[in-house]
């Protein structure tokens, strides 16, 4: 019953692990601005916590199983652009995660999970495409399990469990604030107060709510436009107890999904983010559209030349 760190293992030690009872967990999240009060690594800190918590629970629940945590990959696309944000092209994110998964699959590892703390739609899809491709090609189970959970959480699907973990109901004002939360607001500020309080700027207590209607959220980089400070929601509401309760709920839901994936009871295809099924968010959509448009332009030019 052990959780290993990949970078600390020798090649023979890694090779000695029982492939039928070993889960490898990748952490993949970008460095991204999170308002004036949070560090650039919020998404990776969150994803790493989820990876470690799931790993510890897996080895406790499954005697004889082992978990290997890969070092975090600070990669991500569809991020809010500002100083410190490192944006990687969506196809590069997909290809790097694919190559990581393929290396592990070629080495015989059958269970590969991806933990992610970034909600950018194209980023979620890149991870899911990489996992699907590795699974299909090598006959393994590779799944990005946190994208599905993140969107279920943000859509309010776990509010009942959250209230039970808190030991009280959310007030109408809190429910409204939760619905408006999206980036460096109530939840992420709470999480960092719980995980790394020394990295949270004390000014979060004085930050006003930042509310954005759906139409505004469709604009690129919307939290940083027109004087925005790069956050969405209510950071001043942040509370470590709120983070503790939400993370308990998310880890429990993650375990339910992961156990189902490992046992073959759940289909990874049914536990993807909603963006996977939306063509413009797929990595090959715009290159294909561009190629079709270019082909149409060439055909039009050829036809015009032929009529002269």
């Amino acid at each position: 019953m052990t959780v290993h760190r990949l970078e600390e293992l020798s090649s023979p030690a890694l090779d000695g692990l029982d492939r039928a009872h070993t889960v490898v967990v990748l952490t993949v999240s970008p460095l991204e601005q999170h308002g004036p009060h949070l560090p650039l690594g919020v998404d990776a800190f969150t994803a790493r916590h989820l990876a470690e918590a799931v790993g510890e629970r897996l080895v406790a629940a499954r005697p004889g199983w082992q978990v290997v945590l890969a070092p975090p990959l600070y990669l991500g696309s569809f991020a809010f652009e500002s100083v410190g944000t490192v944006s990687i092209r969506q196809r590069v994110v997909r290809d790097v995660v694919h190559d990581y998964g393929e290396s592990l699959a070629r080495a015989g590892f059958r269970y590969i999970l991806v933990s992610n703390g970034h909600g950018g739609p194209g980023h979620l899809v890149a991870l899911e495409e990489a996992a699907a491709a590795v699974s299909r090609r090598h006959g393994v189970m590779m799944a990005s399990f946190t994208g599905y959970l993140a969107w279920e959480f943000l859509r309010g699907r776990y509010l009942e469990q959250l209230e039970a973990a808190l030991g009280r109901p959310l007030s109408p004002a809190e429910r409204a604030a939760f619905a408006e939360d999206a980036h460096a607001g109530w939840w992420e500020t709470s999480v960092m107060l719980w995980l790394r309080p020394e990295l949270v700027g004390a000014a979060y207590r004085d930050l006003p709510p930042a509310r954005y209607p759906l139409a505004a959220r469709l604009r690129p980089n919307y939290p940083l436009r027109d004087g925005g400070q790069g956050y969405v929601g209510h950071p001043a509401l942040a509370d470590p107890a709120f983070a503790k309760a939400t993370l308990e709920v998310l880890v429990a839901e993650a375990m339910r999904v992961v156990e189902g994936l490992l046992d073959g009871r759940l289909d990874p295809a049914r536990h993807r983010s909603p963006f996977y099924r939306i063509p413009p968010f797929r990595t090959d959509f715009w290159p294909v559209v561009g190629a079709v448009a270019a082909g149409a332009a060439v055909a039009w030019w050829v036809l015009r030349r032929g009529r002269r």
Side-chain angles (χ1 to χ4, degrees):
M1 300 200 309
T2 306
V3 177
H4 305 276
R5 295 184 182 276
L6 180 60
E7 67 272 25
E8 296 176 357
L9 294 173
S10 67
S11 181
L14 180 65
D15 194 32
L17 298 179
D18 179 2
R19 306 300 199 270
H21 297 93
T22 298
V23 180
V24 183
V25 187
L26 310 181
T27 296
V28 188
S29 289
L31 294 171
E32 180 187 27
Q33 76 78 32
H34 277 76
H37 59 299
L38 294 180
L40 300 170
V42 167
D43 296 340
F45 286 129
T46 305
R48 185 66 168 183
H49 173 78
L50 290 172
E52 291 174 347
V54 167
E56 290 167 1
R57 291 201 185 189
L58 272 177
V59 297
R62 293 182 170 234
W65 283 66
Q66 302 191 68
V67 171
V68 177
L69 300 178
L73 291 172
Y74 291 96
L75 295 173
S77 58
F78 283 60
F80 295 127
E81 296 290 347
S82 187
V83 175
T85 297
V86 179
S87 291
I88 308 296
R89 285 167 291 157
Q90 185 190 23
R91 296 183 73 185
V92 174
V93 174
R94 179 199 63 186
D95 291 348
V96 170
V97 176
H98 173 275
D99 288 356
Y100 248 76
E102 190 164 64
S103 293
L104 292 164
R106 285 200 306 265
F109 292 98
R110 296 163 51 182
Y111 304 111
I112 307 162
L113 299 173
V114 182
S115 180
N116 160 53
H118 177 56
H123 177 75
L124 298 174
V125 171
L127 302 183
E128 290 163 345
E129 287 185 348
V134 172
S135 298
R136 186 169 53 248
R137 181 171 183 179
H138 295 278
V140 300
M141 192 290 293
M142 180 172 176
S144 178
F145 66 99
T146 49
Y148 167 83
L149 293 173
W151 282 94
E152 291 292 286
F153 175 69
L154 290 173
R155 291 162 65 187
R157 296 294 179 87
Y158 304 138
L159 283 180
E160 185 176 330
Q161 296 97 309
L162 171 56
E163 289 176 330
L166 281 171
R168 65 171 180 83
L170 294 177
S171 69
E174 287 176 323
R175 282 180 170 261
F178 186 83
E180 294 168 344
D181 204 60
H183 183 75
W186 181 15
W187 186 65
E188 287 192 315
T189 306
S190 296
V191 167
M192 290 307 298
L193 286 172
W194 175 250
L195 296 180
R196 298 292 302 273
E198 76 279 10
L199 299 181
V200 180
Y204 82 89
R205 299 183 181 91
D206 302 317
L207 292 174
R211 300 180 175 92
Y212 295 89
L214 178 59
R217 295 188 184 205
L218 297 177
R219 301 169 67 198
N221 237 36
Y222 70 89
L224 291 154
R225 290 175 176 266
D226 305 320
Q229 296 188 68
Y231 64 91
V232 182
H234 302 248
L237 294 178
D239 175 13
F242 180 70
K244 181 176 183 291
T246 57
L247 290 171
E248 285 177 2
V249 170
L250 286 174
V251 170
E253 287 298 314
M255 279 298 297
R256 181 186 64 81
V257 172
V258 168
E259 292 269 24
L261 293 172
L262 295 178
D263 293 339
R265 292 181 286 105
L266 296 182
D267 180 0
R270 299 181 64 84
H271 289 79
R272 293 174 180 149
S273 70
F275 306 106
Y276 190 86
R277 294 178 288 277
I278 302 176
F281 290 118
R282 300 298 295 270
T283 54
D284 289 329
F285 178 79
W286 293 110
V288 169
V289 169
V292 170
V298 169
W300 176 83
W301 181 81
V302 169
L303 286 172
R304 280 183 60 86
R305 294 276 297 179
R307 289 171 183 169
R308 291 180 181 176

